[in-house]
Amino acid sequence: MKAAVFREIGKPLSIEDVQLPRLESDKEVLLKVKATGVCHGDLHVIMGDWQHEVPVNTPIILGHEIIGEVVEGGTKFQKGDLVMVYNAFGCKECKHCKAGYYQFCERVKVLGVHLNGGFAEYVKVPDEDFLMRVEGNPIQLAPLADAGVTAYSATRGIKEGDKVLVVGTGAVALLAIQILKSLKAEVSVVSRNPTRLAKAEELGADHVYYRKKTFPSLYTSIVGKKFDYIIDFVGSDETLDEVAWLLDRRGELRIVGEFGGQLSIPEQLLVLRGLKVQGILYGTMDDMKGVINLYNSGKLKTLAVPYYLDEINDALNDLMQERILGRAVIIPS
C-alpha cells in the first residue's frame, strides 16, 4: 500500500510502498482509509518540537484524525461500515481510563504517534472498542475525529450568556466558536490573521479583535474587558502573557494549544479573583459522540480542505505558513 512515512526530524514525509498491516488479534480491525485530517501535532512531531516529551520511533506513518471503512477484523462492525477512530488507546484498567479519560493513561498509544496512522491507504486499529460508526462525507467528517473532539472538550460546561474569549483562529478554534454559539455564549475572538478573523465573524463570533504586529501585547485592543472563560488555542508565550488579567472573578483559563509557552500568574491575582486554570488534551468518547451529534444536526461546518496523499508535504507547508482556512484533510486516492 502507499503511505507517507516520517523518517527524519525536519525532513519532508516520504511517499513509499509499504506492507499492508496484518491483524494479530480478535480486537484489531483493518480500515481502508477514506480521509485523515492534518493536525498541528503532526507538524510538532515532524519538526521535533515534542521529541523529549513525546518520543516517536521512526520510521512511522503519522496521521491520527481518521475516517475509514471496515475491511476485516473485530465483531462489532460489518465490512463496509464507515467509522471514526478515537485515537487515544488506553489500557482500560487505570483510574483515568475507568473515568473515560483514555488520553491521560500512562500507557496510552496514539495512532500516528506511537502506532502507524492514517496517512496511508490502510490502517490497523488495535481495538474495535475505540471506533464509532458515522455517516456522510468522509472528507467533511475527518476533522471531527480530533479537532472536533478537542473543541467540544474545550467548551464543555460553558452555558448561555457566558462571556468567552477565544484566542487563535486555527481549525480547532473555528470549530469551538461554532460550538460556543450553539450554547448561546457571547463569543469574542482575538487573532493576528485578518482572513481567519473574518471567517470567525462569519461563523457567528460576536466580537473580533485584530492583533497588529506593532502592538506591544496581543490583548492591547481588549483592555478593560473581562471574560468568564478564556480558551487559548495557541499556547505560546505571546498568547499566555497577561491573559489572566482579562479573566473575571471566578473566571477560568483553558489552554489547548501546545506551542510551548510559559504561563505566569501573580499569586494574589489567582487567589483574590478565585481563578482556575485547566489544560485541555483531546477529549473523551462521549465528547466524540457529542460533536458527531452536533455535526449531524447541521450546526457545525468542518471547513475541510482536501489534499491527495501525494500532496501531503504541500498540505504541511500550507499549514505551517497559515495558508489554510480550516482543516487540511488527506485522501489516499
Side-chain angles (χ1 to χ4, degrees):
M1 69 173 184
K2 187 194 301 184
V5 182
F6 171 50
R7 290 193 169 274
E8 187 177 350
I9 288 174
K11 300 295 184 180
L13 300 186
S14 174
I15 306 298
E16 304 177 14
D17 285 322
V18 302
Q19 187 174 3
L20 190 72
R22 299 170 66 178
L23 302 186
E24 299 172 354
S25 79
D26 294 339
K27 297 290 285 184
E28 293 180 341
V29 177
L30 181 66
L31 300 181
K32 181 178 182 180
V33 176
K34 305 301 288 185
T36 302
V38 181
C39 175
H40 256 111
D42 297 311
L43 272 182
H44 288 306
V45 170
I46 292 168
M47 301 310 296
D49 298 335
W50 294 346
Q51 58 183 313
H52 300 298
E53 293 81 11
V54 187
V56 175
N57 295 320
T58 57
I60 193 168
I61 301 167
L62 304 181
H64 54 265
E65 195 172 72
I66 305 166
I67 301 292
E69 182 181 285
V70 174
V71 175
E72 64 174 301
T75 60
K76 296 184 176 181
F77 299 93
Q78 300 294 318
K79 183 178 180 180
D81 281 351
L82 191 67
V83 294
M84 181 178 293
V85 179
Y86 178 87
N87 64 44
F89 293 82
C91 70
K92 296 184 177 180
E93 298 173 357
C94 68
K95 65 179 182 180
H96 305 297
C97 287
K98 287 180 178 179
Y101 294 94
Y102 299 108
Q103 72 271 38
F104 293 113
C105 175
E106 290 188 5
R107 291 181 282 171
V108 69
K109 299 294 183 183
V110 178
L111 287 187
V113 179
H114 307 104
L115 307 169
N116 283 327
F119 293 152
E121 293 180 305
Y122 293 86
V123 64
K124 181 172 73 172
V125 176
D127 189 337
E128 65 177 340
D129 291 344
F130 292 80
L131 297 176
M132 201 167 293
R133 189 178 285 103
V134 290
E135 295 180 355
N137 184 332
I139 296 171
Q140 298 301 324
L141 286 166
L144 298 177
D146 188 334
V149 171
T150 302
Y152 197 90
S153 173
T155 57
R156 193 191 304 142
I158 296 175
K159 59 187 183 301
E160 181 176 356
D162 283 339
K163 295 182 178 180
V164 184
L165 175 64
V166 171
V167 181
T169 47
V172 186
L174 292 175
L175 283 165
I177 290 165
Q178 298 175 72
I179 295 170
L180 288 166
K181 291 313 300 177
S182 75
L183 298 170
K184 300 182 179 179
E186 181 181 320
V187 182
S188 299
V189 184
V190 60
S191 172
R192 64 184 183 184
N193 188 314
T195 303
R196 292 181 178 177
L197 267 182
K199 176 58 71 172
E201 196 166 25
E202 178 186 319
L203 293 172
D206 300 286
H207 313 283
V208 295
Y209 300 95
Y210 172 52
R211 186 267 184 181
K212 295 181 181 178
K213 292 183 179 179
T214 54
F215 282 11
S217 167
L218 178 67
Y219 306 108
T220 300
S221 58
I222 318 177
V223 170
K225 296 183 180 297
K226 292 289 187 290
F227 300 92
D228 301 303
Y229 295 90
I230 298 176
I231 312 177
D232 184 351
F233 288 96
V234 181
S236 66
D237 284 336
E238 179 186 42
T239 62
L240 294 173
D241 184 41
E242 301 182 359
V243 66
W245 293 95
L246 295 175
L247 284 168
D248 204 346
R249 295 177 186 276
R250 301 179 64 238
E252 182 173 338
L253 171 62
R254 298 181 177 181
I255 304 173
V256 183
E258 298 176 72
F259 275 83
Q262 295 290 321
L263 175 65
S264 178
I265 302 178
E267 178 268 345
Q268 287 189 326
L269 177 67
L270 191 71
V271 173
L272 295 178
R273 289 193 186 175
L275 304 183
K276 297 178 284 293
V277 178
Q278 181 182 0
I280 304 293
L281 176 66
Y282 197 35
T284 66
M285 291 197 74
D286 282 341
D287 293 326
M288 179 172 279
K289 290 176 185 175
V291 79
I292 289 171
N293 289 338
L294 201 58
Y295 174 81
N296 288 339
S297 73
K299 294 180 180 179
L300 272 184
K301 298 177 181 178
T302 58
L303 307 174
V305 181
Y307 293 77
Y308 288 112
L309 184 60
D310 289 338
E311 302 171 317
I312 190 166
N313 290 306
D314 295 330
L316 290 164
N317 287 331
D318 288 346
L319 177 60
M320 187 180 299
Q321 299 300 323
E322 297 187 358
R323 291 193 287 259
I324 297 173
L325 184 56
R327 194 67 150 187
V329 175
I330 305 301
I331 48 178
S333 58

